[in-house]
Each structure stands twice: as structure tokens, then as C-alpha cells.
Amino acid sequence: MDLTKEVQYIKGVGPSRARMLRSLGVNTVLDLLYLLPRRYLDLTPQNFEQGLAGEEVGAFPCVVLEKGQDVVTRSGMKIVKIPITDGKRKGFAVFFNQPYMKDAFKPGDRLVLVGKMKKNFGAYEIANPDWQRFEDINSSDYVKICPVYPLTKGLTQKILRKIIKNVFQEDLRVEEVLPLSLLEKYKLMPKLEALKNIHFPESWENLRRAQERLAFEELLVFQLAMMVTRRHIMGEKRKNKYEDFDITPFLKNLPFTLTKGQEKVVREIISDLKSERVMNRLIQGDVGSGKTVVAALALYLAAKNGYQGAFMVPTEILAVQHTATLKKYLEPLEVRVEVLKGDMPKAEKRKVTEGLESGEVDIIVGTHAIIQDDIKFKRLGLVITDEQHRFGVKQREALVKKGHSPDVIVMSATPIPRTLALTLYSDLDISIIDTMPAGRQKVDTYVVDDSMRDRVYRFVEAEIKKGHQAYVVCPAVEESELGIASVEEIGAELSKRFPHLTIGILHGKMKAEEKDAVMKDFIARRIDLLVATTVIEVGVDVPSATVMVVENAERFGLAQLHQLRGRVGRSSLKSYCIFITGSKDKIARARLNFMMKSNNGFEIAQKDLEIRGPGEFLGVRQHGLPEFKFVPLIKDIRILETTKSLAAEIIEKDLFSKAEYEGLRKAINERIKII
Ligand code: ADP
Ligand code: MG
């Protein structure tokens, strides 16, 4: 069967079911093979007693004892009760509003019921079960591990399973991307078998192997695509010549001296600029390690050597703040810095864009406003993106295209464990700022129960009375789910509670100029307490903020909490971070408690990786990379390393030239198109 064939022509699918499938994103047979179950039910046969133990639905082989009986409940509902036995215990299958079930079975019928076993007034009872007949528990038709698919109106699990089963009856020409020699060496399942096991796992072990097999391929193709691209980028000859490397004026103008870590990274940048090749460098560093000044120094060198620099940031708030910082560092040295924002008055914007085109403006800071078509540069030589995970690689590329083979620096906001960084950014060289500026105090961190909220806010008030400022972070903007704190609710509550304080509100649904105004007020201390979503997460710098409260802290990733915590403790003032949670979940608690123990972003990221698996980190939103389908399913991160070194070996030994690598070569070319 041709995999590009439309689903409509599969047995059991007509035009109307095809429409339903399309709404699930399934157009072709291939799409259907890649429709992932959301989870799996364990339908290992159980007796009635075993069924009481778990929370989940179970499968119960049983024999019908008598014909169904009509019963009217006390509330007047008509139900059918069918007496059944598991061989040892008696119970009832109960069907609500399905009077026809009364005659569906006769005594002696053997069934498998799938549902939740309960005890009702001392009797085993299973309500509205799925059912199938079988004569032999070992029948090949019986699935012990049952996929649960995402559904849409009109489609049921049963129908979908049947359709997918029909597909696997066909002769499917699934292309084996991996060479046979690799399948053997790494003991991987053939692709068709893996896909079959994704839908109809023969065992839990096979399901895991199938997921790993598909993730292996996905990662290998991705890493190879990145490496091929990197070889291409890295091979690019430097066109922008640098001669002036004197950074003394810049350092003299700084209010502090660089840390060891900053110095090391500056040296790496300078050596890149001296080299024959274009620079493509990722700068990693913990929150507060001082990445901005390193970026400023690189921009200074660019300007001194006659090149323009562009600094792209994810939010307007950051654009404004970075512009102020850069002006302070660079304007005394006669480097002209301007900002471009989406909402600038036309005339002002024109002045800046004309300045860029004529070359009068040296450094431009802005959001993706600076990649728009009408923005032209005279000699763009250096492109920096801050907090890169918010940008797609495509956006970075769009900015690079505006220059003449410009150098590229990517600054990552969140420390990423080494294995992952090597995977995600294999198209970049990596620098790490591994020291913090001196005099930085450790932020005291507490994880507290909901019941402590009152005390927490009394503490916040006391800090504000000292003339300090505070942040309160909520997971939601407005009331949506019960028990999830929102900016609007908490903002209203705190305004009522502290009428004498000025309380500001900040979230992503506000207009850019509203956000800017609030942030400016907070920076100027016209706001005491800022209630916000994670929009404040990225890079905002307010030294007199000494307390951060995070509501529903369990809703955030550890790396994100660490990032948030980095907003306080930005001066010599003692600072505090308080995570409030109502969660009783042990793992969630343990995760949060780790935040009390560690202040090291890399360590925290590593922990987060271990607890939550690589999927979270490899999600599309975090890094602007195309989504992985199978990688989020795997728990074992060693596959990252395995595929990484395999990819390096393939490139090094130039194995692509072998015929059996044809499939892999094609897959890589496809992947490069969407990186
Ligand atoms: P991040 O790496 O999180 O982007 P920033 O660049 O915003 O950190 O720097 C955090 C703060 O540390 C800023 O207020 C900055 O002025 C200050 N800073 C940076 N480098 C040093 C240094 N070498 N010594 C003292 N303070 C520094
Ligand atoms: Mg920063």
C-alpha cells in the first residue's frame, strides 16, 4: 500500500471518517501510522479482587451467570444488571441507559469486560464496560496493552483501533531510514515493527524498544542535519576583517571589573574574530553571571572595526533595558546605540532605520522588529540573539541574511545540561561563563504550603516597608482553572489587603506599551509590588527587588523557577524567594525542595532533565527547533550521547557514500529544510 494514499481509501474509512481523521491532522496512511497513542491501558486479565486495587481501568475475563435483569434505581434510572463471575467471585456488569443490553448475552457466554471495578454495597460491580467475546484468553485477537488515541467527535477508540489494525493488514512499504548494519549494531527494531508496536505493543518491553528505536532515528537524523549545516556554516570564510582589538577603553568605562568567567569568554570571542572563519558561538551562563556585558564588548569591537551590530531580544521590555545598558557602556566611547520597537511612532522609526541604512547608527537593539523586510543595514557584521530559546533558528537566519556573512553570538538564558546543549546547538561553538560576580548574595529560598500564604504576604509587606520591592508570579493571567492562581485574582486580592501599597500588574496579554509603562514604573520604584506572569522571567534587572513569591510553584519547571529567582538578589541586599504550593504530590515536592538546596543553574537544569526526561527540553517552544515526535517519549538520555557520537562517526568516516545510507541521506536533506 502506498503510504501517501489518502486515509479515505483505507478499509473502514469513508469520506465522513476521513474528515474526522483530518481534524486530527491525519491525511495520509503515513500520518495514521504516526498518530501516537496518548497512553496505553494495561489489559492484562485480572480477577475482580485485583481490579479493586488500581485507579485505572482493567480487563476482566468472566462468564455470564444469568440473563440481564432490568432494575430501576432509587433515583428512577433504568439500568440493566448482568450477573457474572470470574470463576471464584460473583459480581455484576451494569449498563446505564442501554436497555438492549438485557438480551445481548446468554448464560455461559464468555466475555472480557474492560472498565473500572468497584465494590457497591459489598458486590463487585463494573459500570458501562467495554466488552468483547472470546473463547480463549490466549486468542491472538486479544490485546493486553491497549492504545488510547486522541479522539475527535464521532470517532471512538474502537473505530480508530480497527482502522489502524486494517492498515497493518496491508503490505506496507515503510522506508527503513537506518542502514541494516546500524540496526544490527545497536539492536534496533526494524521500522515497520517499531510502528506496529507503537500501536499494538506485544509487551511493555517491546513498546519501550519501539519508542527508543523511533527516537533514535529522529535524533540521529537531527544531529546529522545539524552537523552537516554546521560544517557548511563553520566552513564559511571570514569576510569581515578585524584589526582593532583594544578593549581597554571599554573596560575603563565599566563600573566593575570582569569576572574570570567573563574574561575567558571574551578571549574566546576575540580569538574567533581573529580566525579565518565566521564566528558561531553560544554563550551559556547562569542567571546573573553577566552575559550582557560580554555581548556589549563584542558589539564594541564590531563598531570599532567599522561594523554594525544587531542585538535581538524576545520582549520589548528587554529591548528597552538592554538599550539603556548598552548606551551606558558604549555611548561614552562614541558608539551610537538605538532601539527599534514594534510600536514606535513612524517618524522616530524612520530616523532609526535611515540611520541604519546610512551607517550612522552602530548598534541596534530590538525584538523581531529588526528582522522585518524594510530594515536594511549598511555593514551588519555581528548578530547577537539574547535568550535564544525564544527565537526560531529561522529568525536568527533572517537576521544573518541582512548582513554580509556576519558573526553570530547566541546567548542562552537558561543553563542547559551539557549533553543537551551539545545536541541542541551542535551548529555552534559553546562558551560558558562559569563564575558569578563577587558580592552576590545567595537568595534564601523556601518552599511552603498553601496554608502559609498569610505569613508569606506579611513578610512581603515588611520587606516593602524597608523600601524594597517585591514580585509575585502566577501561572495564569485570568481565572481559568480552579485552584490556579492568576495575576488578576491575586492582584485584586493584594490590592484589597494592602491598600497603602502600589501594586502593578504585568502579563503577556497586555499591549507592549502598557507593559513598558508598568516595567518603567517598577524600575523607578513607583510600584512596590509587581504581580506578573513569567513575562518578567527574561533578563529584567531591578536591584531593589528583594522578594519573589511564586504561586502554584509546582506548575513551573525547575529551570524556569531558577530563572525567576534570578530576578531578585541583584544587589548587595539580602533577598528571598518563596515558592508556594498546594501540591501534595511527592515528586513535585521533591523537585521544589531541590530549589532550596541548589543555587546553581546547571545543576538545577540537570536535575530537571533527570526528573522530567529530555522531552521538556526538546520541546519546540523552548528552543525554536522543530518538534520532536518520539524523543519526548524516552526516559533514557543515553540515546542522546549514542546518536551524537554515531553522527560524528558517520560524518568523519564519510559513510554517506555507502549505498545503504541512501535512506538516511534523504531523511537528513528533508530535515535540513525545516531546521
Ligand atoms: P545575565 O547573565 O543573567 O544576563 P546580566 O548581564 O543581566 O546577567 O548581569 C547581571 C548583573 O550583574 C547586572 O546588574 C550587571 O551590571 C552585573 N554585572 C555583570 N558583570 C559584573 C561584574 N563583572 N562585576 C559586577 N557586576 C557585574
Ligand atoms: Mg540576560
Side-chain angles (χ1 to χ4, degrees):
M1 181 186 259
D2 181 5
L3 298 185
T4 59
K5 203 158 117 178
E6 280 182 45
V7 275
Q8 176 163 347
Y9 304 107
I10 298 173
K11 201 172 129 207
V13 186
S16 98
R17 280 183 184 164
R19 225 175 301 120
M20 296 171 197
L21 286 169
R22 271 200 293 277
S23 77
L24 291 173
V26 174
N27 296 303
T28 64
V29 175
L30 190 68
D31 293 340
L32 197 58
L33 294 183
Y34 278 90
L35 180 71
L36 289 190
R38 278 188 289 133
R39 60 195 182 98
Y40 299 86
L41 298 177
D42 187 350
L43 298 190
T44 309
Q46 291 180 304
N47 66 43
F48 295 173
E49 185 58 32
Q50 289 166 328
L52 290 177
E55 279 296 304
E56 283 271 343
V57 159
F60 304 94
C62 59
V63 180
V64 175
L65 290 173
E66 291 166 45
K67 224 165 102 45
Q69 308 151 3
D70 283 320
V71 180
V72 179
T73 65
R74 259 175 296 171
S75 58
M77 199 189 306
K78 279 188 188 159
I79 59 176
V80 174
K81 272 181 119 166
I82 302 170
I84 50 173
T85 177
D86 66 359
K88 215 167 173 186
R89 304 159 192 85
K90 289 184 184 172
F92 297 97
V94 182
F95 294 90
F96 293 80
N97 296 320
Q98 299 172 65
Y100 49 85
M101 290 309 295
K102 189 179 165 195
D103 301 313
F105 311 119
K106 55 183 195 317
D109 279 357
R110 291 150 65 95
L111 310 171
V112 179
L113 301 180
V114 174
K116 178 75 197 93
M117 185 61 70
K118 287 210 172 98
K119 236 177 177 176
N120 197 5
F121 293 103
Y124 294 100
E125 218 176 83
I126 178 166
N128 289 336
D130 265 354
W131 57 272
Q132 51 181 304
R133 291 171 191 277
F134 78 110
E135 291 312 317
D136 182 357
I137 188 76
N138 294 318
S139 138
S140 65
D141 266 357
Y142 183 75
V143 285
K144 285 189 185 149
I145 304 172
C146 182
V148 180
Y149 295 97
L151 291 180
T152 181
K153 199 163 183 285
L155 221 48
T156 65
Q157 294 294 345
K158 248 186 184 159
I159 296 173
L160 200 48
R161 282 201 286 267
K162 183 79 191 136
I163 293 172
I164 295 175
K165 198 152 211 171
N166 288 342
V167 171
F168 279 106
Q169 304 292 324
E170 304 275 343
D171 174 24
L172 296 174
R173 297 278 149 79
V174 172
E175 218 173 317
E176 186 62 74
V177 166
L178 300 178
L180 200 62
S181 58
L182 292 184
L183 292 187
E184 279 169 4
K185 181 169 176 200
Y186 294 94
K187 300 191 175 54
L188 301 171
M189 265 186 195
K191 185 143 177 187
L192 181 59
E193 191 187 333
L195 286 170
K196 223 181 237 167
N197 271 288
I198 286 288
H199 294 283
F200 303 106
E202 286 151 21
S203 65
W204 294 104
E205 169 67 10
N206 273 10
L207 175 59
R208 187 186 56 78
R209 287 191 55 215
Q211 291 169 334
E212 286 184 359
R213 153 68 171 86
L214 294 164
F216 189 100
E217 175 183 321
E218 202 172 38
L219 275 170
L220 183 66
V221 169
F222 173 74
Q223 311 224 33
L224 281 166
M226 293 289 270
M227 284 181 193
V228 170
T229 320
R230 174 184 160 100
R231 262 207 314 185
H232 167 70
I233 298 174
M234 296 293 169
E236 202 183 344
K237 275 252 178 203
R238 160 167 306 284
K239 298 197 180 81
N240 301 329
K241 300 289 176 224
Y242 279 71
E243 269 148 23
D244 182 356
F245 292 100
D246 181 14
I247 57 174
T248 330
F250 181 90
L251 297 178
K252 270 196 178 142
N253 184 44
L254 277 186
F256 46 73
T257 52
L258 294 184
T259 63
K260 284 262 173 313
Q262 285 168 326
E263 271 178 6
K264 184 187 65 183
V265 174
V266 167
R267 274 199 303 277
E268 283 164 347
I269 290 172
I270 290 179
S271 110
D272 280 354
L273 295 177
K274 283 181 177 166
S275 90
E276 300 255 285
R277 310 264 164 230
V278 170
M279 165 166 65
N280 281 284
R281 188 165 284 283
L282 170 75
I283 301 182
Q284 281 220 74
D286 208 345
V287 197
S289 61
K291 292 182 283 290
T292 321
V293 64
V294 173
L297 197 143
L299 290 167
Y300 171 73
L301 283 176
K304 280 293 148 198
N305 285 274
Y307 303 106
Q308 289 171 302
F311 195 172
M312 186 157 73
V313 298
T315 64
E316 305 237 323
I317 293 176
L318 263 187
V320 171
Q321 198 160 57
H322 278 337
T323 308
T325 309
L326 292 182
K327 277 184 190 249
K328 201 169 66 196
Y329 293 156
L330 297 177
E331 291 203 329
L333 307 171
E334 281 152 37
V335 176
R336 184 160 156 211
V337 181
E338 294 293 345
V339 64
L340 255 184
K341 297 193 289 172
D343 57 347
M344 272 161 93
K346 272 222 171 73
E348 212 175 300
K349 187 173 167 187
R350 185 153 3 94
K351 240 176 79 189
V352 175
T353 53
E354 282 171 5
L356 278 175
E357 221 171 325
S358 70
E360 272 166 62
V361 173
D362 298 303
I363 310 296
I364 189 72
V365 185
T367 61
H368 44 263
I370 56 179
I371 55 173
Q372 273 148 27
D373 285 343
D374 54 336
I375 312 290
K376 299 196 176 61
F377 292 83
K378 184 156 184 243
R379 295 184 78 193
L380 178 60
L382 175 61
V383 165
I384 302 184
T385 56
D386 191 12
E387 329 288 355
Q388 123 89 16
H389 62 295
R390 304 277 168 125
F391 293 112
V393 177
K394 280 203 176 114
Q395 283 169 308
R396 201 203 305 163
E397 281 303 301
L399 189 50
V400 166
K401 285 210 181 80
K402 287 179 181 289
H404 184 60
S405 303
D407 293 296
V408 174
I409 292 178
V410 172
M411 300 204 296
S412 153
T414 325
I416 303 167
R418 191 175 158 73
T419 7
L420 276 184
L422 286 172
T423 305
L424 291 172
Y425 300 107
S426 51
D427 57 337
L428 304 167
D429 290 315
I430 300 180
S431 285
I432 295 179
I433 302 180
D434 51 8
T435 49
M436 294 295 268
R440 199 60 56 79
Q441 291 203 32
K442 188 172 170 292
V443 176
D444 278 1
T445 303
Y446 304 93
V447 178
V448 305
D449 198 76
D450 262 347
S451 59
M452 300 272 284
R453 284 187 76 236
D454 188 56
R455 271 183 66 186
V456 169
Y457 282 108
R458 259 185 283 149
F459 176 73
V460 169
E461 187 187 20
E463 278 295 303
I464 293 173
K465 275 204 178 124
K466 289 188 209 161
H468 304 170
Q469 290 166 284
Y471 294 104
V472 175
V473 178
C474 304
V477 174
E478 55 205 17
E479 189 174 353
S480 52
E481 254 174 274
L482 207 64
I484 302 304
S486 72
V487 170
E488 287 180 357
E489 286 167 281
I490 298 285
E493 180 194 323
L494 294 179
S495 301
K496 213 149 116 206
R497 175 168 178 167
F498 303 123
H500 51 291
L501 299 183
T502 319
I503 292 172
I505 291 229
L506 188 72
H507 56 72
K509 286 190 181 168
M510 287 160 60
K511 288 210 191 81
E513 63 263 38
E514 290 173 336
K515 282 192 283 192
D516 276 1
V518 171
M519 214 51 226
K520 272 184 203 141
D521 283 346
F522 191 61
I523 292 166
R525 297 192 181 201
R526 288 188 291 268
I527 288 175
D528 301 310
L529 196 167
L530 187 62
V531 184
T533 55
T534 51
V535 290
I536 56 151
E537 169 192 343
V538 263
V540 174
D541 196 13
V542 181
S544 60
T546 57
V547 198
M548 166 158 297
V549 177
V550 181
E551 295 269 3
N552 288 108
E554 76 282 355
R555 312 275 298 188
F556 299 91
L558 290 191
Q560 200 175 20
L561 289 175
H562 181 65
Q563 184 73 23
L564 285 168
R565 179 167 62 183
R567 300 303 117 221
V568 294
R570 298 212 140 218
S571 66
S572 56
L573 298 170
K574 178 86 206 138
S575 294
Y576 307 87
C577 189
I578 304 157
F579 299 131
I580 303 182
T581 177
S583 175
K584 301 271 175 284
D585 185 72
K586 275 207 186 96
I587 295 177
R589 279 293 180 134
R591 245 165 42 97
L592 287 176
N593 286 338
F594 190 75
M595 295 297 295
M596 296 199 280
K597 281 194 219 118
S598 178
N599 234 333
N600 177 325
F602 287 96
E603 209 174 274
I604 288 167
Q606 180 64 35
K607 190 77 181 175
D608 217 10
L609 176 65
E610 282 163 20
I611 298 175
R612 301 203 297 175
E616 297 281 340
F617 282 86
L618 297 174
V620 61
R621 260 159 259 99
Q622 286 212 21
H623 302 283
L625 296 168
E627 200 164 0
F628 289 101
K629 201 168 175 62
F630 298 103
V631 178
L633 301 177
I634 59 168
K635 286 271 175 272
D636 186 356
I637 64 168
R638 275 173 302 185
I639 294 182
L640 282 175
E641 281 157 37
T642 312
T643 50
K644 173 96 187 170
S645 53
L646 174 58
E649 187 188 324
I650 290 173
I651 296 229
E652 208 169 290
K653 297 192 179 156
D654 204 15
L655 298 176
F656 284 127
S657 47
K658 290 192 184 178
E660 62 165 352
Y661 277 76
E662 172 66 22
L664 193 52
R665 204 161 52 219
K666 260 177 29 199
I668 292 162
N669 285 334
E670 284 304 307
R671 182 71 189 200
I672 286 174
K673 283 187 209 153
I674 52 167
I675 275 181

